[in-house]
Structure formats: structure tokens, C-alpha cells
Amino acid sequence: MMEEEELEFVEELEAVLQLTPEVQLAIEQVFPSQDPLDRADFNAVEYINTLFPTEQSLANIDEVVNKIRLKIRRLDDNIRTVVRGQTNVGQDGRQALEEAQKAIQQLFGKIKDIKDKAEKSEQMVKEITRDIKQLDHAKRHLTTSITTLNHLHMLAGGVDSLEAMTRRRQYGEVANLLQGVMNVLEHFHKYMGIPQIRQLSERVKAAQMELGQQILADFEEAFPSQGTKRPGGPSNVLRDACLVANILDPKIKQEIIKKFIKQHLSEYLVLFQENQDVAWLDKIDRRYAWVKRQLVDYEEKYGRMFPQEWYMTERIAVEFCHVTRAELAKIMRARAKEIEVKLLLFAIQRTTNFEGFLAKRFSGCTLTDGTLKKLESPPPSTNPFLEDESAPEMEELAIEKGQLDQPKKPKVPDNPFHGIVSKCFEPHLYVYIESQDKNLGELIDRFVADFKAQGPPKPNTDEGGAVLPSCADLFVYYKKCMVQCSQLSTGEPMIALTTIFQKYLREYAWKILSGNLPKTTTSSGGLTISSLLKEKEGSEVAKFTLEELCLICSILSTAEYCWATTQQLEEKLKEKVDVSLTERINLTGEMDTFSTVISSSIQLLVQDLDAACDPALTAMSKMQWQNVEHVGDQSPYVTSVILHIKQNVPIIRDNLASTRKYFTQFCIKFANSFIPKFITHLFKCKPISMVGAEQLLLDTHSLKMVLLDLPSIGSQVVRKAPASYTKIVVKGMTRAEMILKVVMAPHEPLVVFVDNYIKLLTDCNTETFQKILDMKGLKRSEQSNMLELLRQRLPTPPSGADGSSSLSLMAPTPEQESSRIRKLEKLIKKRL
């Protein structure tokens, strides 16, 4: 029973001593200890095992027990001391709390006393300053009353003086007085409910109205709009009247300006009436000369009469532009059939020069909203079409400063008067567009005639294929037309000009480029197998002559130049045209046309070299390979193929030096065409003996080395062939080598032969296997058994796949094949 009670006590004690992780962590931080007995996860069994790890250690059990008892005794003493020390803590705490409450009560009483004294002090201050505040309010009201009375006196006196001066037309004094009266009147806005103040305000308004009517009458008298009376000269009265008009309603100022300008331009409307000879476009210079004289005359006579901030000179010029635009539009509608291109361009040139003169002379601050579209600076561009667009004066200045080689910045249109008159010519720009259509048609015809007269370009083996000069001439003319048309209009005429550009870009591609590509023929040129097998150098002639090859390369380079320049032309046209019309400019079709010419040129070069190699491959397929007795040097047909490659490729490479990427395309296309054709002719070589197969394997390796060296063959500078090209050659020629290795292998036992075929050829199938068996010269009965065995041995491809991926893992790597080829070469050399 005692043991059970002790166990229950221990369990209850453990339940009480289960502390939360936060409390345990706090205890460890306050009382750090390395003693295992202090750990929260203390395990008695592990602790005992630590003290007595072995049986021999049990000999010290008494000593360990004594130490633990001593430790327990010390802990009991410490606990007893702490418990006794906490006996009086509760009593001390209650005593401290009572003392704190007494201190708070005393502090609260002192705060209340201070608050009472502060309230008494505030009341005392209010009683002292009550009289002072009354005096301050009285002073402020008195000051306001005196100021208001003074303003009222000034207003009343000013109104009387204003009415008197208005009757005497003393505008100089009225200008100063009126402004003062209006400023004083502003102080009485809150007093308008008082009848006397309202009456004074109405008298001021009446005086302003009278002044406005009187000034308009004075100007009408001095500058009559009708009748034969000559306008009077400037006077001090009118000059002062303009100062008064600045203060009055802005409508008065606008009316004065309108009447004066109308009277000033009345002579212009008479001199350049629609029925007058000088009104036509060929004498448009006289209009601008007349207004220049009038502006000079105005500055001399009336320059000081109107305030400078009225910008009367600029207003006269702007109104002249509006009138001229309307008059020119009317007369051109009436005589539209008489407008010619030269006459139209002459008038536009003189008009744009006049607009430039206005931009230099005036700031354009009087142009009203909506009169002209505000010009915005275009975004920076690296387009080469920006070159040479700057004015000749800027070019001369750049030459003087030595800055000709520096990149030119885009021209920023900063003429606020651009189009103020020349806008009227836009509906008639169809004449200009039709003229450019005709000129470009004649230009294309001249290019065709020049090409026929001069013939194809001379061979160039140093600097690459030359671009046809007609190409540069065409785009220079395009640029000239584009700049000229953009100065005339950035709207629909630019779209019409773009359509013309597209038309003749296509014609240039068809007539000049595609039309002059050499035509291929189907005849073999009378070459026989015996002639192809001759090893004498120069005995074989390519289908295209040297001049024809250079012509194809030149046309390819020209098409590439046209493609790139057309792309730049499209970007530049989008910069020149209005933003709302940029989507309608698209030269993608024309660039595709030039891309087609490039592809056709490359295909012609490939077909030419391919056709030159065909007789040699035919000769290979007709040789008696079963009669070959020993392996020698490369066969004559290989020498013939290499000869054609060495004749054509250096010429093509040198003439395509400026367009290296297209030479790479030529190499890739030739490899893709020649290698399958070589394998096809290889299958025709049947039957083949073991020695014949070894000779063919040597020939195949020779061709492979030549093809790998094709991009730099015959060149003094050896460049590494592009990886994409090398991959195609290695893959294709390795397949040819594997076919020959299968042919060389003995066909018995059948299982080994079939497994070897499956291992060497990744794309193994029954059709290829049938051709290999034909090359070995096996009978049909033998072939049927081997074909049946192949079908059984071929792995079944998984659903949805072709099964080629599983076989590709067994294919030898190119490095392994190259090592085998080297071994075969060594063997052949030993035999020789």
C-alpha cells in the first residue's frame, strides 16, 4: 500500500511539474544549466545508463549514490531557505500597496489646488483685458471706415473725372484713371447692396461702354472700311485709345484688330481677284512680295500706334495666309485642268519658302487653336533614310566644323506656320502622284534597257558580288519623292505615294531581278560517261558560265539589299505619315517578293552544281563494282565531283562575301540535295564485291571530307564550317558509310547479318534492306528469308510513335565511325 501511494504521489507531482514550452524556455534563459537533471525531457533510464555504461562501472555505485544523496540534501536546503524567505513577502506587499495609495491621494489633492488657482488667475486676466479688447475692436472698425470712405471718395471723384475725360477724348489720362477706378471698385463688391455704391458701379460700366463705342467710332473714322477715302495716318489719340482698349472688354480689342486688318488687306483682295492674271499659280511670288511690302509699310507707319503685345504684324501676316489659302483653293478648283506638275511644285516651293520666312520672323503665338495642328517632335530613329535630309546650309556648316562624319540627328519640324497656306494644294497632289507614277515607270524601263545594253556585271572575286547600280538609283529616287511629298502633305497623298512605291518595287523585282536570272535547260550538254571519267582537268564544263554565276550572285546581293532597304523605307514612311495612317503602310508583300528572288537565286546555284555532279554519279552507278580487284586511290567520278565543286564554290563564295549567311544557305541546300542523290545512286551500284564495297567506302569518305570542307574550299583563309551545315553532312554521309558497311558484312549467319543491319542503320526498314540485298547480289529466294527474319527482329514501335527513337540509341556515334574509317584507310595503304 505504501508503494502504491508513493507511485500516485509521483504521478501527481509529474502532472503538476509539466510546464509549457514558453515557461521552460524562460527558465533556461534565466537559469542556464548544463546538468541533465535540469532538462525538461529528463529520462532517468538514459541518465543511469550514462552513469553506468558497462558492468565494470557498477563497482562505483556506492560512490555515485552518495553523491546523488548529497545533491538531494543541498537541494532540500536551498528549497527550505527560499520557502522561509517568502514567508513575509505577502505582508510586505500589502504594506507597500497602502503606502502607494496614500501617495496618490496626496498628489491628487495638490493637482486640484493648482487647477483652482489657475482658474482664478484666468478670470483675473479676463477682467484686466476686457477694456483693452473693446479698444482694439473700436480701432479696427474705425480704420476700416476711414479706408472705405477714402476709397469711396476716390471712386466718386474718379467716376466724375472719367466721364469728363471720355467726353474730351483724353485717352491717355483715361487709361491710367480707368484702371485705378476698376481696382478701387473691386473693394466695394461686398457693398453692392447699398444703392449709392450700386449707382457708382453702373456709372463705371456705362463709361466703359461709351469708351468702347467712342474708340470704335474713332478708328472707323481714321480707317474707313468702305468708300474711297484714304486711311488716315497714326495719331497719339489712337495710340492712347489702344491702351484704353486693353483695359476694356476684350471684344473691343478684337473688333479694332479685325477692322484694321480687313482694311489693310482690302487692296490685296482687289489686286489678286480670281479674274486677274496675277492671281494664277505662275505669279504666286507677287502675292508674297506684296505682303512683305505691306508689313514693312505697316512697321514704318503704324508700328508704334498699337501696343507691342497685340502682335499686329504677325496678325496681319496670319490673316493674309488664311485669305490666300481660301483664294488659291477657289481658283485652283475653277482651273483644275490647267494645273501641271511643274507649276504645282513651283507654287508649293514658293509657298513653303514663304512659310519658312514667317517662322523666322514670327513666333506663331497668335495662331488660334484648331488653325493648325501642333507639330510634335518625332521619336529618335536610327533609320538610314534620315541621312542627307538636312538642309544644304546645315551640311555646309557641318563641313566647316568637321562634323560631317558624326551621326545626324532626326530633323525636328519647328515651323508653326507649316501648312497655313500650302494646305490648299493637298487636294491637287494627285497630279504629283500621277507624275511620279509615270516617272518611275520610265525609270524602270530605262533600267531594263541599260541592263540589256551593258550586259551582266563583270566577275568579281575580290570584294564580293556587286549590287546592281540601278537598285541604289531607285531608292535614291524613292527617298527624294518621299521627302518632297512629306513636305507637301502627311495625309492621304503619302498613302497614294506608298502604293506607287509598292507597284514599282514589285516591277523591279520581276523585270530587273527575276527577269534576268539565267534560265536552266534540261539537256545534259552531250556529256557521256567516258568523258566524265576523264581525269584531265578542265575537260568538264559547268552548265552556267562564270559570267552567269556572277550574275546570279549579283542579283542575290541586290535582292538582299532591296529587302533590307525596303524595310527601312517602310519605317521611314511610317515616321513621315500621320499617326492615324501608319497602319495602312505595309511593305511586307514587297519584302516577301525580294525574299523569293533570293530563294530562287540560291536554288539556281544549287541546281547548277547539282546538275554538274549528276553525270559523275551516273557513271558511278554504271561501273562494274563486282569486277573491282583491288582498292586504289579515289575513283574518277569522285575526282570529277571534286573538280566541279572546286570550280563553282570559290566563285560563289567570293561573289557572296557581302552576304555570308546566304552562302551558308547555299551550302546547306546543296548538301541536302547532293547527299540523298548520292545515296540513291549508291543503291544502283549492284552487284558489289567485297573489294568494290571497300573502294566505294573510301570514295564516300573522300566525298565526306570534301563536303565538310566545302564552305572554305579553295580559300586562303580557312574558316570553321557552320555547325548546322556540318551536322547535315555528317549525318547524311555517315548513313552512306553505314550502308556500305552492311554490304561488306557477310550475310551468313542470317541472324547476325540482320542484327548488324539494325544496329548500323537507325532508320532501318524493309525497303532499304531490300536495296542492300540487291547490292550484295543475293537471289530472291535468299532475300525472302532474310526479309522475313528482319520483320521478326525489328522491334515493334509503341503506339503513337514511329519507333525510331528506340533504335537511335544503338546507332554508333560519329567519333566511332571516324575511327573505323581511319582504320580502313590504314588497311588500304598497307595493301597499296
Side-chain angles (χ1 to χ4, degrees):
M1 291 294 292
M2 291 294 294
E3 291 179 358
E4 292 179 357
E5 291 177 358
E6 289 180 359
L7 289 176
E8 292 177 358
F9 175 75
V10 170
E11 291 177 358
E12 292 176 358
L13 185 61
E14 288 180 354
V16 172
L17 293 179
Q18 289 296 327
L19 304 177
T20 61
E22 292 79 5
V23 175
Q24 188 65 39
L25 180 62
I27 293 174
E28 291 177 358
Q29 291 177 353
V30 176
F31 302 105
S33 174
Q34 300 296 330
D35 193 343
L37 295 174
D38 294 334
R39 295 178 60 86
D41 55 348
F42 173 75
N43 191 320
V45 177
E46 292 181 359
Y47 183 67
I48 293 172
N49 290 334
T50 303
L51 294 176
F52 306 104
T54 61
E55 292 183 1
Q56 291 77 8
S57 60
L58 292 174
N60 300 326
I61 188 170
D62 294 334
E63 183 180 352
V64 173
V65 170
N66 291 333
K67 288 181 180 180
I68 292 176
R69 287 176 178 174
L70 179 60
K71 193 170 186 179
I72 291 172
R73 192 178 300 112
R74 289 176 180 174
L75 288 174
D76 289 339
D77 293 341
N78 292 336
I79 292 172
R80 189 180 301 108
T81 303
V82 172
V83 171
R84 290 175 179 175
Q86 296 296 321
T87 302
N88 299 327
V89 170
Q91 184 177 356
D92 295 342
R94 286 190 295 273
Q95 184 179 355
L97 180 61
E98 291 175 357
E99 292 177 356
Q101 290 176 349
K102 290 179 180 179
I104 291 173
Q105 290 177 357
Q106 293 175 2
L107 180 62
F108 182 75
K110 292 179 180 179
I111 293 174
K112 187 176 180 181
D113 293 341
I114 293 172
K115 183 177 179 181
D116 293 340
K117 291 179 180 179
E119 291 178 354
K120 292 179 181 178
S121 300
E122 184 179 2
Q123 187 66 28
M124 186 182 300
V125 171
K126 287 182 179 180
E127 292 176 358
I128 295 172
T129 58
R130 183 183 296 112
D131 297 336
I132 298 175
K133 287 184 179 180
Q134 291 178 356
L135 292 174
D136 286 341
H137 288 306
K139 180 182 178 181
R140 188 182 304 113
H141 294 160
L142 183 59
T143 302
T144 304
S145 301
I146 295 173
T147 303
T148 304
L149 288 174
N150 288 335
H151 286 165
L152 183 59
H153 177 71
M154 293 169 58
L155 181 61
V159 171
D160 294 337
S161 302
L162 182 63
E163 292 174 344
M165 291 177 183
T166 301
R167 289 191 295 269
R168 294 193 296 269
R169 284 183 166 77
Q170 296 176 349
Y171 295 130
E173 291 80 359
V174 167
N176 297 326
L177 180 60
L178 180 59
Q179 187 63 53
V181 169
M182 294 179 64
N183 292 337
V184 173
L185 189 59
E186 291 179 359
H187 295 283
F188 290 93
H189 282 322
K190 55 185 176 181
Y191 303 118
M192 286 298 171
I194 302 173
Q196 291 81 0
I197 301 299
R198 186 168 58 252
Q199 183 179 3
L200 286 174
S201 176
E202 293 173 354
R203 288 176 61 187
V204 171
K205 291 181 181 178
Q208 288 178 327
M209 294 180 61
E210 184 179 356
L211 277 170
Q213 295 174 359
Q214 188 170 299
I215 290 173
L216 289 176
D218 292 343
F219 269 93
E220 180 66 27
E221 182 180 356
F223 304 100
S225 57
Q226 296 179 352
T228 58
K229 182 181 178 181
R230 297 288 298 174
S235 66
N236 293 333
V237 174
L238 295 180
R239 182 185 61 197
D240 295 339
C242 291
L243 298 177
V244 176
N246 260 341
I247 305 172
L248 297 175
D249 189 351
K251 294 181 180 179
I252 304 297
K253 170 185 171 182
Q254 294 172 4
E255 187 68 21
I256 294 172
I257 293 173
K258 180 179 178 182
K259 287 186 176 181
F260 179 82
I261 293 177
K262 182 178 180 180
Q263 189 276 332
H264 214 67
L265 296 179
S266 58
E267 180 184 355
Y268 171 72
L269 295 174
V270 175
L271 292 176
F272 294 91
Q273 288 183 358
E274 185 178 353
N275 56 0
Q276 297 295 326
D277 184 55
V278 294
W280 189 227
L281 300 180
D282 57 346
K283 295 181 178 60
I284 198 171
D285 280 341
R286 298 190 181 183
R287 294 176 180 267
Y288 306 133
W290 180 90
V291 75
K292 289 178 182 178
R293 290 195 303 269
Q294 290 298 314
L295 293 177
V296 173
D297 182 65
Y298 166 80
E299 291 287 350
E300 293 176 353
K301 292 183 178 180
Y302 308 105
R304 297 183 179 180
M305 186 176 74
F306 293 98
Q308 187 176 2
E309 62 270 17
W310 285 22
Y311 301 103
M312 286 299 296
T313 309
E314 181 177 330
R315 292 181 185 276
I316 293 172
V318 170
E319 184 61 24
F320 166 82
C321 292
H322 293 328
V323 173
T324 302
R325 184 176 62 194
E327 291 295 321
L328 288 176
K330 183 169 62 174
I331 194 173
M332 283 191 291
R333 283 196 300 270
R335 303 172 63 176
K337 295 182 180 180
E338 302 178 29
I339 300 176
E340 298 178 353
V341 177
K342 292 183 179 179
L343 180 61
L344 181 64
L345 293 179
F346 167 78
I348 293 175
Q349 182 64 37
R350 293 296 186 268
T351 302
T352 52
N353 290 343
F354 175 70
E355 292 172 350
F357 162 77
L358 294 180
K360 294 178 181 178
R361 181 79 182 277
F362 307 115
S363 63
C365 60
T366 62
L367 296 174
T368 57
D369 297 337
T371 302
L372 291 176
K373 182 173 62 177
K374 185 170 179 59
L375 297 169
E376 298 177 354
S377 301
S381 174
T382 57
N383 195 302
F385 271 89
L386 288 171
E387 187 179 356
D388 297 329
E389 277 191 28
S390 56
E393 295 81 359
M394 296 301 295
E395 293 181 359
E396 294 175 1
L397 183 61
I399 294 174
E400 293 176 2
K401 294 184 178 181
Q403 299 175 352
L404 190 60
D405 295 334
Q406 297 181 3
K408 300 178 181 178
K409 296 181 179 179
K411 186 176 180 181
V412 179
D414 53 357
N415 183 359
F417 296 92
H418 177 69
I420 191 171
V421 179
S422 57
K423 199 76 173 177
C424 65
F425 297 109
E426 186 168 326
H428 304 277
L429 285 179
Y430 67 88
V431 178
Y432 171 78
I433 302 299
E434 292 174 355
S435 172
Q436 296 306 323
D437 188 4
K438 180 181 177 182
N439 293 341
L440 283 169
E442 295 174 352
L443 187 65
I444 294 295
D445 293 339
R446 180 166 63 84
F447 289 161
V448 174
D450 291 346
F451 190 91
K452 291 180 179 179
Q454 298 175 4
K458 296 181 181 180
N460 185 1
T461 59
D462 296 329
E463 300 178 358
V467 176
L468 298 179
S470 59
C471 174
D473 295 340
L474 177 67
F475 282 102
V476 167
Y477 189 82
Y478 272 12
K479 177 182 176 182
K480 177 183 176 182
C481 295
M482 178 183 63
V483 174
Q484 193 174 41
C485 186
S486 65
Q487 293 175 350
L488 307 180
S489 172
T490 57
E492 289 294 335
M494 283 292 290
I495 302 299
L497 184 66
T498 302
T499 304
I500 299 299
F501 286 174
Q502 291 175 303
K503 172 184 175 182
Y504 289 101
L505 282 173
R506 292 191 296 269
E507 286 203 11
Y508 185 85
W510 295 332
K511 293 183 179 180
I512 307 298
L513 301 182
S514 295
N516 288 305
L517 284 173
K519 302 297 186 292
T520 58
T521 57
T522 56
S523 63
S524 62
L527 297 176
T528 62
I529 298 175
S530 59
S531 65
L532 287 171
L533 295 177
K534 293 180 181 178
E535 296 184 16
K536 183 177 180 181
E537 186 176 355
S539 63
E540 302 175 27
V541 181
K543 184 175 293 186
F544 286 148
T545 62
L546 175 62
E547 290 76 12
E548 289 174 332
L549 288 176
C550 294
L551 173 60
I552 295 173
C553 294
S554 180
I555 289 176
L556 191 154
S557 300
T558 304
E560 193 271 340
Y561 173 82
C562 291
W563 184 90
T565 313
T566 301
Q567 186 179 23
Q568 298 168 359
L569 176 64
E570 179 183 0
E571 295 174 0
K572 192 58 187 175
L573 285 169
K574 289 183 177 180
E575 290 180 10
K576 294 290 185 182
V577 79
D578 291 340
V579 178
S580 59
L581 301 176
T582 52
E583 296 297 330
R584 296 174 59 183
I585 295 180
N586 186 359
L587 303 184
T588 305
E590 288 65 40
M591 288 189 283
D592 291 342
T593 302
F594 289 117
S595 298
T596 303
V597 174
I598 293 173
S599 300
S600 300
S601 302
I602 295 176
Q603 191 62 33
L604 276 179
L605 296 174
V606 172
Q607 288 177 359
D608 175 61
L609 183 56
D610 212 14
C613 297
D614 280 347
L617 297 179
T618 303
M620 176 191 76
S621 62
K622 293 186 177 182
M623 287 182 62
Q624 300 298 323
W625 293 102
Q626 75 275 16
N627 298 329
V628 177
E629 298 179 354
H630 63 276
V631 178
D633 200 356
Q634 63 187 22
S635 301
Y637 76 89
V638 177
T639 304
S640 176
V641 171
I642 296 175
L643 179 62
H644 284 299
I645 290 176
K646 289 184 176 180
Q647 286 177 346
N648 283 28
V649 173
I651 297 173
I652 296 172
R653 181 183 60 244
D654 294 339
N655 282 275
L656 294 181
S658 59
T659 55
R660 187 75 185 177
K661 62 179 180 179
Y662 294 117
F663 174 69
T664 302
Q665 288 187 19
F666 159 76
C667 295
I668 292 175
K669 287 189 176 182
F670 174 72
N672 284 327
S673 174
F674 175 80
I675 294 175
K677 187 178 295 185
F678 172 75
I679 294 176
T680 301
H681 283 79
L682 195 64
F683 284 131
K684 296 180 182 179
C685 299
K686 54 186 179 181
I688 302 178
S689 64
M690 177 68 69
V691 179
E694 291 182 359
Q695 180 64 49
L696 273 175
L697 186 60
L698 178 63
D699 295 341
T700 302
H701 180 68
S702 299
L703 286 175
K704 179 180 178 181
M705 293 298 104
V706 171
L707 290 175
L708 288 175
D709 192 43
L710 181 70
S712 59
I713 193 169
S715 175
Q716 296 179 354
V717 180
V718 179
R719 294 183 179 179
K720 186 177 180 181
S724 57
Y725 170 77
T726 303
K727 183 178 179 181
I728 292 172
V729 173
V730 170
K731 181 180 179 181
M733 296 305 291
T734 300
R735 182 172 185 269
E737 292 172 346
M738 295 302 105
I739 291 173
L740 291 173
K741 287 189 176 185
V742 175
V743 174
M744 292 169 57
H747 60 277
E748 291 182 353
L750 299 181
V751 175
V752 176
F753 180 75
V754 171
D755 290 344
N756 189 44
Y757 166 73
I758 296 175
K759 177 181 178 181
L760 292 178
L761 291 179
T762 58
D763 57 342
C764 55
N765 52 60
T766 55
E767 183 180 357
T768 304
F769 191 64
Q770 176 78 54
K771 293 178 181 179
I772 292 176
L773 296 180
D774 290 340
M775 293 174 69
K776 291 180 69 67
L778 298 178
K779 298 178 181 180
R780 291 294 177 181
S781 58
E782 296 176 329
Q783 292 184 12
S784 60
N785 296 331
M786 300 179 76
L787 287 171
E788 183 63 28
L789 180 60
L790 174 67
R791 294 188 184 96
Q792 297 175 0
R793 305 289 290 181
L794 280 176
T796 304
S799 59
D802 55 2
S804 60
S805 59
S806 61
L807 295 178
S808 63
L809 297 175
M810 299 184 293
T813 62
E815 290 78 5
Q816 295 172 341
E817 295 305 322
S818 62
S819 63
R820 295 177 182 177
I821 294 296
R822 284 195 295 270
K823 292 180 181 179
L824 179 61
E825 288 178 346
K826 291 180 181 179
L827 178 62
I828 293 171
K829 289 179 181 179
K830 288 181 180 180
R831 292 187 178 181
L832 293 175

